Amino acid sequence: MVQIVEAARLKARTHRLAVVIGLVFVGLALWYNVTLPIGESDNEASHYRYIQYIKTYRDLPPAFYQWPAPPSTDQCQSPSSTDVQDPEHQFRQPPLYYLLTSVAFFWLDTSDPWWPPTNHYSVHSNHPDGGYNVAIHTEREAFPYQGTALAVRLIRVLSSLFGLLGLIAVYLTGRLIFQPGPSPLPALMMAVVGFVPTYTFAASVINNDILVGALGLWCIYFCALSVRSGVRIRSFALATICMALAFLTKYNGVILLPIVTLTGVVLLVRSWRAGNARLNRSLRALGLIIAIQTLLPSWWLLRNKQLYGDYFINYPNMIQPFTTKISWLGAFTVPELVTRLTNGVKFTFMTFWGLLGADFVVLPEWLLNLLAILTGLVVVGIIYQRRVRRESGSLNRLALISLLVIVINWWFLYFLINLQPARGRYLLPMFSVMGFLLIWGSSALRTRRFPWLGAYLTAGAIMAMGLFVPLGVLRPTYATPALAADAALLPGEQGTYAHFGDIAELVGIEVEPASVAPFELLDVTLVWRALKTTPNNYVVGVHLMAADKTYFGGAAHLPGKGNFATSLWQPGDIFRDRYRFYLQAAPPGTLPIAGQVKISMYCPNANSQPDIPVLDAAGNAQGDAVYSTPIRIGLSAPNPPPQGDDPPLARFGDEIALQQVTGLPPGLHLGAELALDFTWQALAHPRADYTLYLHLLDGQGNFQAGADKSLTQERYPSGMWLAGETITDTHRLTIPVATLPSGTYQLTAGLYDPVTQERLPLSADAAQAHPDGLLLGPATLARHGHHLTDRHAEWSVIARGSP
């Protein structure tokens, strides 16, 4: 008895580190589980409904089954909308994960039809600024869990157990690799696989990725066991069964085929070396194994063919010949192909470490850069091990084979999914291969006192990353905006105090920057105060419109980037919501121009009155939108040109120069409209939006006619001009010739601030100054009685540039 207890203690000490890592992994997966809102993984709604269907009808669902819409009081949701994310897409997946889950939770009530409403304006729905959440999350998801929330959280726990099962296979594989003698490397290999965010995330949501990954890891273990010493046909049989089950879980299980094939070849070679008798036995055994494991997925493929006429149900890439796909490479030039492959490898690297949420949430760039450095150091370590530690020849050969397997499988998937790079989670069945390389390369860093220093550091770094993700990535991604204590505006925010119906008050707006060019980012911050609760999820549209109604882009999505939809607002909630978008290209000749940000709130699917009416603070109707103060749209102005021999006609203060005036005709028709083109240059940033006046004076200097209009007719107010900019502006003046008496007339022009009514002083070097401003030209009219003797008034034009 004492010996048995001592043996148990020894075994416990041997596996203690692995047990600790396994417990930490389960705890971390549970943390991911409760941190991640329901539905926020790739097609989790459809995965869950697959299980619901099996539990309800005790049958596999039709591949193109349309799930009925859950009940909703949201009037902004289209009555015809099914409010689901392509349920038929997951219903055509192989069934093993869903069958096992349905059996494991036969006792669990999944009849609750509720599911978080879909956010139709997320990044997943092609709205770049709409947030990463695919659903609108309510109090129904809060603890204590009930109904759908409880069922989802519990089923996610089963995924965590599948993940732990896969890690056990990684640990056993490590023990095969790093034997003989006690070593922490198998447990550390287990850690670097389990704490990669991609693996932990897959083990904390409802999806079939984690089961295909776990089965793949066991397949690799049995492959390693079958060739560890001699020929172990039984282990190879278990490897092929795991591969077949992985294929029945998800089609990417087919990536195990190269490593299983390689293992079979190794066994055949060893049997051949052992003699013909052994070879014949091995051939018969392998043939039987292949036949048996082929039967496992065959029933599924034949069923699909019989029911839908397609073995893979709308996965044509699974049956297209590889020769056809290889021929597609000919469509690319060599530089294009190199660029394509380089970007593909980068994508796989990025998503290997973490492609979370609904396949759109990635790790921060700084973290990916650190992981790239870590990967580079591991590669250096592998090279060092091969060149310096020649006594570890078998491990060095295994490292080379592992690299080869990764390359082969990457290419295999690249062709399988029609020349598209593989997502990291598609490689989950191969994660033990990556784990071995990470541990073997990092173990090159060692000292006499700490022989496994590098391996511990690498495992610790990856574990720290896994612990960081829930707090540093997932929680901020799905967090609601912070509520403000009061509605006091911050510096730079424009007060609007406009009410959108009785739903909310738009307290203020801030638009940054004040000058923006096409293809640049514009940030718009809205300060909201909720006035009442509503079951409706209104969309807020933020769009930049130019003064001539040219559209320059915008964003439209649920508030809080979908995390704080209007159905979640409580009266008195005050928060700031940011919208960000890139400006579109401008039509030729449009820029520069003034623009305003238009803010509206509407029901996207309403049959009538989709826009919420806007009221001012006094309750007066203001239309259906709120507009910001104007901003400048245009490229940066050039530097001021050097002064030459041709000075401007006039300078108005130290702000604006008049370069030329065109359009003064040699003869003016009676009653005609005079259209003059002024070319201005900003000497500095003008301090106001100036108005241009045109005055027609008689011989005594008395005003007879005139026109005062803002520069550029407010299309591009002077207060937006940048130093050095040149602007051409047309102004019109109707000359009441029919009522003018005979005599000499003068046309003058000048600039003034419409707010203060102060004129800009005319420079002393103006081409022709006048007490009323800049003299543009005189005209003489002669009359006999009440009839003009000449049909034209003759102008003496002094403005440079006139025809």
Side-chain angles (χ1 to χ4, degrees):
M1 187 66 180
V2 175
Q3 292 178 343
I4 296 176
V5 173
E6 187 62 28
R9 288 179 178 176
L10 179 61
K11 184 169 290 188
R13 285 197 299 269
T14 302
H15 304 293
R16 182 169 50 194
L17 181 58
V19 171
V20 170
I21 290 172
L23 291 175
V24 173
F25 167 78
V26 172
L28 184 59
L30 292 176
W31 191 11
Y32 276 59
N33 182 345
V34 299
T35 301
L36 188 73
I38 291 175
E40 294 301 340
S41 66
D42 184 48
N43 286 299
E44 188 170 43
S46 189
H47 288 298
Y48 176 71
R49 286 167 177 155
Y50 200 139
I51 299 167
Q52 270 186 304
Y53 189 96
I54 294 175
K55 282 175 56 61
T56 302
Y57 299 102
R58 299 184 184 280
D59 194 6
L60 295 177
F64 302 103
Y65 183 78
Q66 191 70 30
W67 197 268
S72 174
T73 58
D74 183 0
Q75 297 176 356
C76 293
Q77 179 179 313
S78 171
S80 61
S81 172
T82 59
D83 201 28
V84 294
Q85 295 185 68
D86 300 327
E88 71 279 358
H89 178 73
Q90 297 306 319
F91 284 11
R92 59 196 170 120
Q93 291 269 19
L96 183 59
Y97 172 81
Y98 312 102
L99 290 171
L100 291 176
T101 305
S102 301
V103 171
F105 290 99
F106 71 93
W107 50 271
L108 181 64
D109 182 11
T110 57
S111 61
D112 182 6
W114 178 83
W115 189 264
T118 301
N119 174 15
H120 295 289
Y121 291 83
S122 68
V123 172
H124 193 269
S125 301
N126 297 319
H127 291 268
D129 191 51
Y132 294 102
N133 55 310
V134 298
I136 300 168
H137 304 292
T138 68
E139 290 297 320
R140 295 191 64 167
E141 298 182 38
F143 186 84
Y145 307 126
Q146 295 178 349
T148 297
L150 177 62
V152 169
R153 302 292 184 189
L154 289 177
I155 294 173
R156 286 179 173 182
V157 173
L158 181 61
S159 293
S160 301
L161 297 179
F162 286 146
L164 180 62
L165 187 66
L167 291 185
I168 293 173
V170 174
Y171 176 64
L172 295 177
T173 304
R175 285 178 59 83
L176 288 177
I177 293 172
F178 295 110
Q179 283 182 349
S183 168
L185 296 185
L188 296 178
M189 179 172 155
M190 175 184 175
V192 299
V193 170
F195 297 129
V196 170
T198 293
Y199 191 91
T200 315
F201 185 83
S204 60
V205 296
I206 301 176
N207 70 92
N208 53 358
D209 287 307
I210 192 60
L211 182 58
V212 73
L215 289 169
L217 297 176
W218 277 100
C219 176
I220 291 176
Y221 166 69
F222 286 123
C223 284
L225 185 61
S226 64
V227 298
R228 178 62 183 173
S229 59
V231 177
R232 298 187 179 185
I233 298 299
R234 291 181 182 177
S235 298
F236 182 71
L238 292 173
T240 59
I241 290 173
C242 287
M243 180 182 69
L245 293 176
F247 184 81
L248 275 177
T249 302
K250 190 170 183 175
Y251 291 133
N252 69 309
V254 74
I255 69 169
L256 295 166
L257 186 59
I259 196 167
V260 170
T261 302
L262 179 62
T263 303
V265 170
V266 171
L267 293 177
L268 286 175
V269 170
R270 288 184 176 178
S271 298
W272 173 69
R273 289 178 177 174
N276 291 333
R278 182 61 181 269
L279 177 60
N280 290 334
R281 289 197 302 270
S282 297
L283 285 174
R284 288 194 298 270
L286 291 175
L288 181 61
I289 290 170
I290 293 172
I292 293 174
Q293 69 90 20
T294 302
L295 292 176
L296 290 175
S298 294
W299 74 269
W300 169 254
L301 299 178
L302 293 173
R303 170 189 177 274
N304 292 342
K305 183 67 174 178
Q306 181 180 4
L307 293 178
Y308 309 108
D310 186 353
Y311 289 113
F312 294 97
I313 317 178
N314 286 358
Y315 282 103
N317 55 294
M318 294 292 295
I319 58 176
Q320 285 174 327
F322 266 60
T323 53
T324 301
K325 298 178 181 183
I326 292 174
S327 67
W328 293 346
L329 295 176
F332 304 104
T333 64
V334 173
E336 289 174 341
L337 186 59
V338 170
T339 301
R340 187 181 182 89
L341 294 177
T342 301
N343 291 336
V345 171
K346 290 180 180 178
F347 176 79
T348 301
F349 175 83
M350 176 185 70
T351 58
F352 163 78
W353 292 106
L355 183 62
L356 314 176
D359 267 7
F360 283 95
V361 180
V362 298
L363 301 181
E365 186 175 357
W366 63 266
L367 184 54
L368 288 172
N369 290 335
L370 291 178
L371 291 170
I373 294 173
L374 174 64
T375 304
L377 293 175
V378 167
V379 172
V380 172
I382 292 173
I383 296 173
Y384 173 83
Q385 299 272 43
R386 183 169 182 81
R387 295 180 63 88
V388 177
R389 297 187 60 191
R390 298 184 181 275
E391 72 279 5
S392 303
S394 59
L395 291 177
N396 286 325
R397 286 192 296 272
L398 183 59
L400 185 61
I401 293 172
S402 298
L403 289 170
L404 182 63
V405 166
I406 291 174
V407 172
I408 291 173
N409 275 283
W410 188 90
W411 274 101
F412 187 57
L413 280 174
Y414 186 74
F415 284 108
L416 192 65
I417 55 180
N418 294 342
L419 307 189
Q420 297 296 323
R423 287 173 168 83
R425 60 187 173 90
Y426 294 171
L427 296 170
L428 279 170
M430 308 295 300
F431 264 37
S432 57
V433 178
M434 289 79 156
F436 162 68
L437 290 173
L438 286 168
I439 288 299
W440 179 239
S442 60
S443 64
L445 177 62
R446 56 190 303 165
T447 65
R448 289 182 179 273
R449 187 174 179 181
F450 302 104
W452 300 294
L453 176 62
Y456 270 110
L457 290 175
T458 299
I462 294 176
M463 180 178 176
M465 174 180 62
L467 294 171
F468 163 78
V469 166
L471 286 176
V473 178
L474 295 180
R475 184 169 293 179
T477 298
Y478 303 107
T480 58
L483 296 181
D486 55 53
L489 296 178
L490 301 177
E493 293 177 342
Q494 164 202 345
T496 53
Y497 307 103
H499 288 213
F500 283 84
D502 59 352
I503 300 168
E505 178 188 10
L506 182 60
V507 180
I509 310 170
E510 183 179 22
V511 181
E512 295 180 310
S515 178
V516 64
F519 309 111
E520 291 182 351
L521 274 173
L522 187 69
D523 285 312
V524 180
T525 301
L526 307 180
V527 184
W528 290 105
R529 186 203 324 254
L531 301 178
K532 63 174 289 188
T533 58
T534 175
N536 303 327
N537 290 305
Y538 294 101
V539 174
V540 174
V542 176
H543 302 282
L544 181 61
M545 310 289 293
D548 61 359
K549 305 304 180 183
T550 301
Y551 180 71
F552 278 92
H557 53 75
L558 303 180
K561 297 187 183 299
N563 291 326
F564 203 35
T566 54
S567 63
L568 305 178
W569 293 5
Q570 296 298 315
D573 285 349
I574 301 169
F575 68 98
R576 284 169 171 79
D577 195 14
R578 190 179 73 171
Y579 288 68
R580 167 176 282 191
F581 56 89
Y582 284 94
L583 267 65
Q584 299 178 0
T590 303
L591 302 180
I593 194 172
Q596 287 181 289
V597 174
K598 174 185 176 182
I599 297 98
S600 59
M601 179 183 287
Y602 58 91
C603 262
N605 299 310
N607 295 324
S608 62
Q609 198 180 14
D611 293 315
I612 306 299
V614 177
L615 309 174
D616 64 15
N620 302 312
Q622 300 294 310
D624 60 5
V626 176
Y627 292 86
S628 72
T629 54
I631 65 169
R632 179 183 182 274
I633 307 174
L635 303 174
S636 299
N639 293 325
Q643 295 292 332
D645 297 333
D646 197 12
L649 293 177
R651 292 183 178 87
F652 293 90
D654 58 354
E655 301 176 48
I656 298 176
L658 178 61
Q659 297 296 111
Q660 65 176 12
V661 181
T662 61
L664 289 169
L668 181 66
H669 292 283
L670 298 176
E673 182 181 65
L674 185 63
L676 303 180
D677 293 327
F678 292 79
T679 300
W680 308 94
Q681 185 178 48
L683 301 175
H685 179 68
R687 290 184 283 270
D689 295 337
Y690 293 110
T691 294
L692 170 69
Y693 65 83
L694 294 176
H695 290 173
L696 185 66
L697 310 177
D698 61 18
Q700 289 73 43
N702 299 316
F703 176 85
Q704 296 295 326
D708 290 26
K709 294 184 179 179
S710 63
L711 289 173
T712 72
Q713 319 296 308
E714 296 185 350
R715 180 180 181 278
Y716 183 41
S718 59
M720 294 183 180
W721 296 0
L722 302 182
E725 269 192 307
T726 299
I727 298 95
T728 299
D729 182 26
T730 300
H731 283 257
R732 301 178 184 278
L733 174 65
T734 300
I735 309 298
V737 177
T739 62
L740 293 179
S742 302
T744 301
Y745 295 85
Q746 294 176 320
L747 183 65
T748 61
L751 299 175
Y752 69 92
D753 184 343
V755 176
T756 64
Q757 297 296 309
E758 293 183 1
R759 291 186 178 184
L760 279 178
L762 186 65
S763 61
D765 59 351
Q768 191 164 342
H770 186 276
D772 191 54
L774 177 67
L775 180 63
L776 297 182
T780 302
L781 288 175
R783 286 178 180 270
H784 292 287
H786 297 287
H787 302 282
L788 286 172
T789 58
D790 192 351
R791 295 289 298 171
H792 295 84
E794 297 298 327
W795 291 80
S796 173
V797 180
I798 58 91
R800 187 170 61 249
S802 301

